[in-house]
Amino acid sequence: MSSLRLSHMGNCPECGKTLAFNSSSEVIECPRCNQRHQPSSLKEMEQLNGNLSSFFSYYKLLKDQMSSSSHDPGPVKIQGVSSYECKLLSPLLTTYGMDKAGNPKLLTDLLASKSKVFEFSALAGRSFTVDKQHLGETGYGVDKASFAYLSELLQLVDDTNDRSKCLVPLHADGDGHCLVHAISRCLVGRELFWHALRVSLHRHLTENLARYREIFGAFVDGDRDEWGEIIDE
């Protein structure tokens, strides 16, 4: 899989569109002008080496690709921000924070604990209340399928709380990370911290592998190290 990762980016010499490619690419085709180019012919070449500048360049590239897509998914924006943008920014927030001047800094340069990854437990005391005007927004507000499935439970909760409609099932993108999307939304209203939670979850499962093998051993095939496959996935 590592050979398929995008490692470089540069601008098309014909139309100027930013293109991303991996180091083994011999020819890059521009989707805007349909011209094929040698990697060495691209303008303003940049290596995606994991630093902050590269992250923002790649983030802009993904946004441009999405906005120019012929399928046009039309992301829902609430207060100017879409869930797509939040999910793109999440990996950055896993390892970066801001100093008092508002400048981005690695967490290891900011925290006395020298933690490399944002500790999601810092948000444990938070909860999110959705604005009523956004409840009907498709892709952000109430998830209709979940609302129908949980109708009896939601009715019971409403009756117990003087019919105050205090609990509603909100949308979470079902892209394979729906659990961490949902938890991040529950705490802060956005998917901004899904990646930090996934990293922390992976670490927790790895450090407590023996314990979970014992608890759920009957449900997992131990003959082919299915636990390792589950954690890696």
Side-chain angles (χ1 to χ4, degrees):
M1 292 296 292
S2 59
S3 62
L4 299 178
R5 292 177 181 172
L6 301 178
S7 59
H8 294 76
M9 61 190 298
N11 296 333
C12 173
E14 297 292 333
C15 67
K17 180 175 177 58
T18 302
L19 308 171
F21 58 97
N22 63 63
S23 58
S24 63
S25 299
E26 297 181 359
V27 177
I28 301 110
E29 182 173 351
C30 176
R32 177 185 290 170
C33 65
N34 297 318
Q35 298 298 312
R36 295 164 65 87
H37 308 288
Q38 298 291 328
S40 59
S41 68
L42 299 185
K43 306 296 184 182
E44 300 181 18
M45 285 275 290
E46 179 180 347
Q47 183 175 0
L48 299 174
N49 54 15
N51 61 32
L52 191 60
S53 175
S54 292
F55 179 89
F56 279 116
S57 296
Y58 187 45
Y59 168 70
K60 182 178 182 300
L61 170 64
L62 290 175
K63 283 192 65 180
D64 290 343
Q65 288 178 338
M66 185 186 72
S67 62
S68 63
S69 171
S70 58
H71 298 290
D72 188 19
V76 176
K77 288 195 173 186
I78 302 298
Q79 297 179 339
V81 182
S82 70
S83 63
Y84 180 84
E85 293 167 317
C86 289
K87 289 188 288 185
L88 283 180
L89 286 170
S90 186
L92 175 67
L93 299 178
T94 300
T95 53
Y96 280 88
M98 287 194 301
D99 61 19
K100 293 181 179 180
N103 299 312
K105 297 286 186 181
L106 284 169
L107 294 179
T108 49
D109 297 333
L110 290 174
L111 303 178
S113 63
K114 299 300 180 182
S115 174
K116 293 182 179 180
V117 176
F118 176 74
E119 292 293 342
F120 201 81
S121 58
L123 301 176
R126 297 180 62 94
S127 61
F128 167 68
T129 301
V130 64
D131 194 317
K132 290 184 178 180
Q133 67 175 323
H134 296 145
L135 285 175
E137 293 283 358
T138 302
Y140 179 86
V142 174
D143 186 277
K144 295 181 180 179
S146 298
F147 188 86
Y149 179 75
L150 299 171
S151 58
E152 293 185 9
L153 174 62
L154 294 172
Q155 185 62 55
L156 179 61
V157 172
D158 288 344
D159 293 343
T160 305
N161 291 274
D162 300 322
R163 302 182 183 279
S164 60
K165 298 291 182 183
C166 61
L167 180 67
V168 292
L170 297 180
H171 173 82
D173 287 346
D175 58 0
H177 305 294
C178 54
L179 174 62
V180 285
H181 287 325
I183 295 175
S184 182
R185 286 216 61 194
C186 179
L187 295 178
V188 299
R190 303 282 190 174
E191 296 87 344
L192 285 169
F193 296 102
W194 75 267
H195 187 265
L197 178 59
R198 191 178 189 280
V199 170
S200 297
L201 183 60
H202 183 277
R203 182 181 61 192
H204 174 79
L205 291 174
T206 301
E207 293 175 351
N208 297 275
L209 179 58
R211 176 187 176 192
Y212 286 107
R213 271 182 173 153
E214 181 179 353
I215 296 175
F216 299 108
F219 302 95
V220 180
D221 184 359
D223 294 335
R224 61 182 182 91
D225 192 25
E226 192 174 1
W227 276 109
E229 296 175 11
I230 291 173
I231 293 176
D232 289 339
E233 184 178 339

